[in-house]
Amino acid sequence: MPKIIFQLLAKINWRVKSVIVRYKRFDFSYSLLIFSEPRSGSTWLLQLFENLPQTVVNWEPLHSKRGKLTRYDFNSNRFWLNPNIDKNIFLEEFENVLNLRSHNKWTLSRTSVRSIIKSKYVITKFVRGNWLLPFI
């Protein structure tokens, strides 16, 4: 199959995922958060959890280049919040990321259309996000 067909199918897949997530509501209280250090087995753990029924994966939403909160100046080695930012605004945006109200191709890259439709629980994986725990 030509490469252009695969690219077209990928675009269609992304659009379908985005539309479904936009209209589906995920309750923050049904979220599972995985915080880890790099190379610690968090992807393996996530793969175990994503096989549970009614789960959808929110992949690395705090990634420094591809995540959803790139406007915050996260240190490349550890996440930390600038003390001058409005923490209430950040927490609102962070909650939108955790319940998939705010998403992109990267954060939905590890999930299928079917799992989004059938899901009730959001599993979010963070690497180097441990310093954000006091804000959650």
Side-chain angles (χ1 to χ4, degrees), residues 2 16 40 44 48 57 78 89 122-123 125:
V16 171
S40 64
W44 173 78
L48 290 177
V57 171
R78 296 279 183 265
I89 292 173
V122 177
I123 303 172
K125 176 185 178 274

Side-chain angles (χ1 to χ4, degrees), residues 78-95:
R78 296 279 183 265
F79 294 120
W80 57 277
L81 291 176
N82 182 329
N84 299 324
I85 69 162
D86 184 335
K87 289 184 179 73
N88 292 327
I89 292 173
F90 171 78
L91 289 174
E92 182 180 327
E93 291 178 7
F94 191 63
E95 186 174 332

Side-chain angles (χ1 to χ4, degrees), residues 110-132:
R110 300 284 178 125
T111 194
S112 68
V113 171
R114 183 178 182 188
S115 67
I116 295 171
I117 292 170
K118 293 185 171 204
S119 62
K120 179 177 179 180
Y121 308 99
V122 177
I123 303 172
T124 304
K125 176 185 178 274
F126 303 99
V127 172
R128 299 183 185 104
N130 299 349
W131 289 17
L132 289 176

Side-chain angles (χ1 to χ4, degrees), residues 9-10 13 21 26 30 33-34 43 49 57 61 63 66 86 91 93 96 106 112-113 118 123 125 131 136:
L9 290 174
N13 188 36
V21 167
F26 294 99
Y30 290 129
L33 307 178
I34 299 173
T43 300
F49 281 126
V57 171
H63 190 278
R66 298 178 178 160
D86 184 335
L91 289 174
E93 291 178 7
N96 285 335
W106 171 257
S112 68
V113 171
K118 293 185 171 204
I123 303 172
K125 176 185 178 274
W131 289 17
I136 296 178

Side-chain angles (χ1 to χ4, degrees), residues 16-29:
V16 171
K17 286 180 186 180
S18 186
V19 167
I20 294 169
V21 167
R22 188 176 309 130
Y23 292 104
K24 186 159 180 149
R25 300 285 183 219
F26 294 99
D27 186 350
F28 178 69
S29 63

